[in-house]
Amino acid sequence: MSYNNIKTEINLRFAEVGKLLAFIDREETLLVAPAILPMEIKVIKGLFYVHLYSAVEFSVNKLVQNTLILIKQMNIRNNDYILRFNTISSNNHLRSFKDCGYSQFHNKSNKLFLEAESASVSAINETVFSSMLQNIWVKTIHEIIDVFGMTPFVVSTKNSIIIDEVVDNRNKVAHGRETAEVVGSMPNYTDLKQKFDAIYEVIALLIIHFESYFTAKEFLKVTSRAAY
């Protein structure tokens, strides 16, 4: 799947969230003071955090999996990857360390390094980050970027606070720590629109970051890029 297709899918997901946001705007506009905002609208605003977060998780998962699929299709030799990408390319070997006893440690270590230096092609698992990407904070995005061996991805302090606030409020509602009504009782449409715009901006920049990384073949050693 190309990055153009990914952009289309992500935009469709955010457009759906945008429709919910437009509904909240209409309901608040129709309210005439001193009327109190109905409980149902407070609930919807609380659920808006869940909806917006789902677009974030969908987007990041799609980007990560799509990039790994594209790299996998290149049939790259292990010794052509940059060192940091071995965390991904050698993931199956790394997982084997979990269950090995001390007597097997040196043998498995030796196999791991021999494989990384070899000209064989390892099967990349595009779902390797699935469990990690079920709760995406700003630090999660930075961790993924680092494991891929990408150049740093900059998120402004303001946007970082917004993203983590959205994740936290989503968790409060989704995990039952707080009701959707309580979470949705404080923000108005303008507040939610600001969060929507900030997160969409970060995701749009993240798409560019991943696409540039793949196009420049930054996961390969500089001396190996021309071969692919």
Side-chain angles (χ1 to χ4, degrees):
M1 183 179 288
S2 71
Y3 284 94
N4 286 334
N5 290 337
I6 291 294
K7 292 172 191 175
T8 299
E9 289 189 23
I10 289 173
N11 282 332
L12 286 172
R13 186 60 66 94
F14 273 94
E16 184 180 300
V17 181
K19 288 180 180 179
L20 179 59
L21 187 61
F23 173 79
I24 292 170
D25 183 29
R26 288 195 299 271
E27 291 299 313
E28 287 193 349
T29 301
L30 290 172
L31 194 68
V32 179
I36 299 173
L37 194 68
M39 181 193 75
E40 292 86 349
I41 304 305
K42 293 179 182 177
V43 170
I44 289 172
K45 288 197 290 184
L47 292 175
F48 174 82
Y49 286 101
V50 179
H51 203 187
L52 180 56
Y53 171 77
S54 73
V56 174
E57 187 169 313
F58 173 83
S59 301
V60 177
N61 272 279
K62 277 288 182 180
L63 271 174
V64 169
Q65 290 184 20
N66 182 65
T67 301
L68 290 178
I69 288 171
L70 291 174
I71 293 173
K72 181 179 181 179
Q73 290 172 347
M74 295 173 70
N75 293 316
I76 296 166
R77 295 183 296 270
N78 289 327
N79 55 6
D80 286 330
Y81 287 117
I82 60 172
L83 183 60
R84 278 199 288 175
F85 197 82
N86 285 325
T87 305
I88 298 172
S89 60
S90 301
N91 186 261
N92 289 335
H93 287 284
L94 290 168
R95 285 181 181 274
S96 70
F97 279 95
K98 285 185 178 181
D99 303 317
C100 79
Y102 180 75
S103 62
Q104 292 294 314
F105 177 79
H106 295 294
N107 182 45
K108 288 186 177 292
S109 298
N110 185 50
K111 287 182 178 180
L112 172 65
F113 289 113
L114 286 174
E115 187 72 14
E117 290 181 340
S118 74
S120 60
V121 177
S122 294
I124 291 178
N125 178 9
E126 63 269 20
T127 64
V128 66
F129 293 109
S130 293
S131 60
M132 183 180 182
L133 296 179
Q134 292 177 5
N135 214 2
I136 301 172
W137 306 85
V138 173
K139 70 181 181 71
T140 311
I141 295 174
H142 289 315
E143 287 168 359
I144 293 295
I145 294 292
D146 193 47
V147 172
F148 267 88
M150 296 184 185
T151 55
F153 179 69
V154 179
V155 182
S156 70
T157 301
K158 176 183 176 182
N159 286 348
S160 293
I161 292 171
I162 288 174
I163 291 172
D164 284 352
E165 179 191 347
V166 168
V167 179
D168 185 48
N169 282 330
R170 171 262 183 181
N171 288 344
K172 286 178 182 177
V173 175
H175 300 306
R177 296 201 305 271
E178 196 57 87
T179 67
E181 180 187 4
V182 169
V183 171
S185 63
M186 293 298 293
N188 57 28
Y189 163 77
T190 302
D191 298 327
L192 297 179
K193 180 67 164 58
Q194 180 188 40
K195 299 180 198 321
F196 176 89
D197 289 344
I199 286 179
Y200 184 79
E201 176 188 355
V202 171
I203 294 298
L205 292 173
L206 193 61
I207 294 172
I208 294 171
H209 203 74
F210 268 85
E211 187 172 15
S212 298
Y213 167 82
F214 178 75
T215 302
K217 302 175 184 176
E218 293 177 17
F219 44 91
L220 295 174
K221 296 173 182 174
V222 175
T223 54
S224 299
R225 292 174 186 175
Y228 299 92

